[in-house]
Amino acid sequence: MKYPMISSSLLLLSLPLMAATDTTTTSSEQLDTLLVTGRALSHYKEESASIGSRTETDIDKTAQSVQVLTETLIEDQAAHQVTDLYRSISGVSQDNVSTVTFRGFHQDEQLYDGMRGNPYKEFFTVPQLVNIQEVQAIKGPAGALYGAGEPGGVINYVSKKPTYEPENFIKLGAGNKGYHSEQLSSSGPINQDASQRYRLSLYQDKSDSYRNNVDQDNQNIDLGYAWDINDDTTLTLQYTNIEQTLDGARLRGIPTDDDGNFLADDSWNANEPGDQQALDAETFQAKLEQYINATVSWDLGLRYFKGEEIQNYHESRGLTDTDNDGINDAVRRQYRDQLRSNEGISLSSNLVFDVNDHTVLVGADYTRNTYDYLYYRANNTDPLSLNNPTYDADISRYNLTLNQDNQTVSQQMGLLLQDQWAATERLDLVAGVRLNHFEEDFTDHRDRSNDATYSDQGIDTRVGATYAWSDNVKPYTSYSTGYQPQSAGDQQDSVGGPFDPEQSRQMEAGVRTYWLDKRLNVNLAVYHIERENILQEDPNDSDRKIALGKVRSQGAEIDVLADITDRWVANLSYAYNDTIVKQANDDGIRFGAGDSDRFSNSPLHQLGLWTRYDLPSLSSAVSIGAEHVSQQYNRDHQKVKPYTVYDATWQTQIDAWTLQATIKNLTDEVYATSGFNRNIGSNLGERRRIYLSAQYDF
């Protein structure tokens, strides 16, 4: 469904609240927040997080690399979606569409408040941040905590909850390429003692693109209710509805030569004006938290998620020479008509015992997911010129044939036992083991002889230690394993199966340090990961897959938070990652030495910088950001060129107003964020975008 009345409703709903609110106090409080000293370590740094242990634990006592991107950092960077934040997470870069590269490995699973149920998963859309409080990341295998997953790490989105104090604002945005956005957010107590609270957020944005035929429309409704049943028990309910329409999509890249040079203008797009990618999704979440007594607490979470996405698009299928002059001047295309539906439920429970020097966690979780996939395609399409594209395809004449019509029902269950032991005043130890059970039923409605049932069991473990050498130097070390079963659909002979489950292991060591009276925080991590039985698309047949024997990732990461002066702060993240194929598969695909062994979309170097300078006399602040990603390779081992982009933001406050101007890609660089293969080419980064916003707090 659509929400055509959201824009006007935002203003109408806010008028009585504005009129009834004295803004003097709000303005003063906001000014203090903007100009606070020591901003980097007080506003860009979190002291604790649950992502590394499933219990709220000091990050300095977490025996694995953890990063938390706070709401303040998200707002300062004017981040609209998670791709805007990769510069601030060392070891993370953009992969293809909604996936990321995490310590060299591709990752498409995200958690919400520690639970599975990503409304964007199985689709080709990128998570939006409008209702996200903070972004947490744990590096390396997290299977001992959250079950089957990729070994590079996992991102957890912490959603905004109802607040004890009133927080109300209306925010309007504008920018180039027809961008505009509107948001109304209201949160606060329902009754006098604030034991019952609410949250309401209405949001929409719309914009065009520098790519031909492309525009997007995002709409989001977020509702929340929290009830302190008594002093020890809280129930929180949340509902989110997501509408995202991307015209001229599923947006792919532009073909390149082997050296990474684009073969068409950066506005080129394989899709026709009528192509689209339309997502309709919703989530419902409930969480009950209770302190039973001084030593025992527990929580129970439920998350329901449902989504449906229509994809009508033209896929590039390789270069062709239309005039027989020996030069490829066009792209062969295939038309695809797809319907993807995803519905599921997740349950998660944690029972925590704080006994003497031990924090013992008994955790259990269960996820059931039903994924339906209907796919028609046509090969009788006209090629599209690279130099002078003419978008006039007549889809009605296409001869569509059914390619896939199947359903996958998967269930994952896990039981976790973990002990965090404060062995001495300086030494903290952690040990955890998780039992995993996985079941999947695959139904092929075209040919029931392909139906399959698959089940598997696995054990993940983690051990680690942190040591407070001093108040300023805190080293740690850990060993963790990961397990990822292959899907039943990938076990069929028709797609190249059967395949063994993926197995991974990581050794990590690091040190967290504080200097200059804790105005400077420098963290260093080194790691070694091995992963076996990775599935990838067969470069010779896109309908089949192959398993790589072993991929090794090793590297180092440095994260710096600094209060350079009382007005000047900086956040810097650097990662060196060397991910290579160590052992080829048995299907005749071999890899050479050096760079030809490198895993796809795993850059050797990444650097991200964000620095801010406050201007008290103007009640303002100016920020500069930079991101550098070194050369990469796509799946066919074509080069993806290195790039460096810069952003800038100006923010100021006038009474209850917060005004912000942001320029992304300041120098209007034409660059590729990642590569796919020879047919599809490299994925383009965003050209220069200007975003203006005005927020009124009432």
Side-chain angles (χ1 to χ4, degrees):
M1 61 179 175
K2 298 294 182 182
Y3 310 108
M5 298 302 293
I6 285 185
S7 298
S8 56
S9 297
L10 295 179
L11 185 59
L12 292 174
L13 287 170
S14 64
L15 288 175
L17 292 171
M18 291 182 188
T21 305
D22 181 356
T23 62
T24 305
T25 303
T26 302
S27 173
S28 175
E29 290 175 350
Q30 289 178 337
L31 188 61
D32 291 342
T33 301
L34 179 68
L35 305 179
V36 69
T37 60
R39 184 181 179 87
L41 269 63
S42 63
H43 285 271
Y44 288 175
K45 177 178 172 57
E46 284 286 356
E47 299 297 333
S48 65
S50 60
I51 183 67
S53 61
R54 289 178 62 153
T55 65
E56 196 67 22
T57 302
D58 288 347
I59 293 178
D60 287 347
K61 295 183 177 181
T62 302
Q64 204 164 333
S65 181
V66 168
Q67 279 187 266
V68 178
L69 307 186
T70 65
E71 184 180 18
T72 304
L73 181 63
I74 294 172
E75 291 177 348
D76 281 359
Q77 294 191 13
H80 295 168
Q81 58 188 30
V82 68
T83 53
D84 297 327
L85 296 173
Y86 291 159
R87 81 177 72 200
S88 299
I89 310 176
S90 57
V92 171
S93 62
Q94 193 162 338
D95 188 26
N96 286 289
V97 193
S98 60
T99 62
V100 300
T101 298
F102 226 132
R103 283 188 170 176
F105 295 109
H106 310 154
Q107 167 67 281
D108 65 352
E109 179 69 73
Q110 292 91 30
L111 304 173
Y112 282 76
D113 296 311
M115 292 187 290
R116 294 177 183 266
N118 177 12
Y120 300 94
K121 185 174 170 57
E122 308 293 355
F123 308 125
F124 289 79
T125 46
V126 180
Q128 305 294 300
L129 299 174
V130 62
N131 294 316
I132 299 303
Q133 185 77 27
E134 66 180 27
V135 177
Q136 303 177 342
I138 182 171
K139 314 290 185 62
L145 292 167
Y146 302 106
E150 306 297 333
V154 67
I155 288 176
N156 179 48
Y157 298 102
V158 179
S159 60
K160 294 182 179 180
K161 310 294 193 303
T163 56
Y164 284 93
E165 298 294 331
E167 295 181 7
N168 307 298
F169 68 84
I170 185 170
K171 186 174 184 179
L172 304 176
N176 66 333
K177 293 296 180 181
Y179 172 80
H180 64 86
S181 65
E182 300 84 31
Q183 182 181 9
L184 169 68
S185 179
S186 181
S187 180
I190 296 175
N191 54 1
Q192 188 171 0
D193 63 359
S195 62
Q196 298 186 61
R197 302 170 299 283
Y198 78 97
R199 170 177 161 75
L200 164 68
S201 173
L202 304 175
Y203 173 85
Q204 73 171 12
D205 68 45
K206 188 174 179 61
S207 67
D208 298 325
S209 171
Y210 60 94
R211 300 286 299 275
N212 293 339
N213 308 323
V214 175
D215 62 64
Q216 67 171 325
D217 186 350
N218 291 291
Q219 298 183 355
N220 185 291
I221 295 178
D222 193 60
L223 307 174
Y225 169 76
W227 177 26
D228 294 336
I229 300 172
N230 55 45
D231 291 342
D232 301 316
T233 308
T234 298
L235 174 66
T236 305
L237 305 176
Q238 296 170 265
Y239 172 80
T240 302
N241 187 288
I242 301 164
E243 295 275 354
Q244 184 179 78
T245 301
L246 306 177
D247 291 322
R250 189 167 74 187
L251 192 60
R252 292 293 206 175
I254 295 177
T256 70
D257 61 22
D258 289 345
D259 291 324
N261 300 303
F262 290 117
L263 300 180
D265 186 79
D266 62 291
S267 63
W268 188 89
N269 180 11
N271 289 311
E272 297 284 332
D275 293 356
Q276 67 168 338
Q277 177 180 328
L279 171 68
D280 183 356
E282 59 183 345
T283 65
F284 171 78
Q285 183 171 301
K287 190 166 187 179
L288 181 67
E289 301 170 278
Q290 183 178 34
Y291 291 92
I292 298 174
N293 54 44
T295 60
V296 182
S297 62
W298 79 293
D299 63 69
L300 175 64
L302 178 150
R303 184 172 175 85
Y304 168 81
F305 51 99
K306 179 181 181 180
E308 181 176 274
E309 184 169 72
I310 298 171
Q311 295 183 8
N312 308 120
Y313 67 102
H314 287 75
E315 180 86 342
S316 299
R317 300 302 296 161
L319 300 173
T320 186
D321 179 6
T322 60
D323 54 10
N324 298 315
D325 65 353
I327 299 175
N328 290 323
D329 58 359
V331 166
R332 293 180 288 107
R333 294 187 297 172
Q334 183 181 80
Y335 181 71
R336 299 181 175 182
D337 184 343
Q338 301 179 354
L339 176 63
R340 301 167 183 259
S341 301
N342 191 35
E343 183 174 15
I345 188 170
S346 290
L347 295 170
S348 177
S349 180
N350 299 295
L351 181 62
V352 181
F353 301 89
D354 285 304
V355 182
N356 298 326
D357 297 322
H358 294 266
T359 299
V360 178
L361 169 71
V362 180
D365 50 62
Y366 168 80
T367 300
R368 177 185 172 88
N369 190 85
T370 301
Y371 175 61
D372 291 284
Y373 185 29
L374 182 63
Y375 172 19
Y376 291 88
R377 71 185 185 189
N379 292 314
N380 61 322
T381 62
D382 294 329
L384 183 69
S385 171
L386 289 169
N387 298 317
N388 298 295
T390 300
Y391 299 100
D392 58 0
D394 182 4
I395 297 175
S396 64
R397 69 175 180 82
Y398 288 172
N399 181 25
L400 289 170
T401 59
L402 181 63
N403 180 261
Q404 292 193 52
D405 181 6
N406 54 58
Q407 180 182 83
T408 303
V409 179
S410 61
Q411 299 181 79
Q412 297 186 51
M413 292 157 277
L415 179 63
L416 166 66
L417 179 62
Q418 175 183 270
D419 184 15
Q420 296 170 269
W421 178 27
T424 71
E425 290 185 357
R426 296 179 179 270
L427 177 65
D428 287 88
L429 305 174
V430 63
V433 59
R434 178 187 170 98
L435 306 178
N436 300 292
H437 179 75
F438 177 86
E439 294 181 4
E440 189 165 275
D441 294 316
F442 176 79
T443 303
D444 188 339
H445 297 299
R446 296 180 308 151
D447 184 354
R448 297 302 298 270
S449 66
N450 290 328
D451 291 2
T453 298
Y454 176 69
S455 64
D456 203 355
Q457 291 76 227
I459 297 177
D460 288 322
T461 58
R462 184 176 70 141
V463 293
T466 62
Y467 186 76
W469 187 274
S470 68
D471 288 342
N472 298 324
V473 180
K474 301 175 181 181
Y476 70 90
T477 185
S478 65
Y479 173 83
S480 53
T481 66
Y483 152 87
Q484 178 82 314
Q486 312 292 4
S487 68
D490 289 335
Q491 298 296 71
Q492 305 305 302
D493 291 337
S494 60
V495 296
F499 301 105
D500 292 331
E502 290 185 15
Q503 302 284 347
S504 59
R505 61 197 66 86
Q506 173 184 265
M507 293 177 287
E508 179 179 340
V511 60
R512 300 177 175 104
T513 65
Y514 300 87
W515 309 98
L516 304 177
D517 196 25
K518 295 193 174 183
R519 295 175 64 89
L520 174 64
N521 172 212
V522 181
N523 299 330
L524 169 67
V526 294
Y527 58 88
H528 178 97
I529 305 174
E530 292 184 355
R531 180 184 178 196
E532 300 176 351
N533 303 321
I534 304 171
L535 297 191
Q536 285 204 154
E537 180 181 294
D538 188 334
N540 299 316
D541 186 348
S542 62
D543 292 329
R544 294 177 62 85
K545 295 186 178 181
I546 58 174
L548 302 181
K550 181 185 292 186
V551 177
R552 184 268 292 153
S553 168
Q554 61 186 19
E557 298 163 353
I558 299 175
D559 299 297
V560 179
L561 280 172
D563 292 316
I564 302 172
T565 70
D566 287 346
R567 299 183 185 178
W568 186 15
V569 302
N571 179 4
L572 182 145
S573 296
Y574 167 76
Y576 168 83
N577 175 267
D578 183 26
T579 303
I580 61 174
V581 179
K582 294 291 291 183
Q583 178 182 329
N585 58 63
D586 296 326
D587 295 328
I589 295 179
R590 293 292 181 264
F591 300 86
D595 282 345
S596 61
D597 272 342
R598 293 197 59 79
F599 201 46
S600 63
N601 292 335
S602 55
L604 198 63
H605 302 280
Q606 297 168 255
L607 177 67
L609 172 67
W610 186 261
T611 182
R612 170 181 174 131
Y613 191 82
D614 288 322
L615 303 166
S617 61
L618 300 177
S619 300
S620 302
V622 62
S623 302
I624 298 291
E627 180 181 18
H628 173 77
V629 176
S630 67
Q631 180 176 280
Q632 308 171 66
Y633 294 90
N634 69 15
R635 297 177 184 183
D636 289 335
H637 216 74
Q638 292 181 305
K639 292 180 181 178
V640 180
K641 289 186 173 183
Y643 67 86
T644 304
V645 293
Y646 303 92
D647 298 345
T649 292
W650 173 279
Q651 186 184 95
T652 190
Q653 288 187 300
I654 303 173
D655 297 325
W657 290 90
T658 301
L659 308 178
Q660 185 163 315
T662 301
I663 304 176
K664 294 183 180 290
N665 193 355
L666 194 63
T667 58
D668 201 21
E669 193 78 12
V670 177
Y671 66 101
T673 59
S674 60
F676 196 79
N677 58 22
R678 189 176 298 274
N679 288 342
I680 293 174
S682 293
N683 301 303
L684 271 76
E686 191 72 60
R687 292 288 296 272
R688 182 190 293 132
R689 297 299 297 259
I690 299 172
Y691 295 104
L692 308 175
S693 68
Q695 177 174 315
Y696 181 78
D697 292 79
F698 54 90

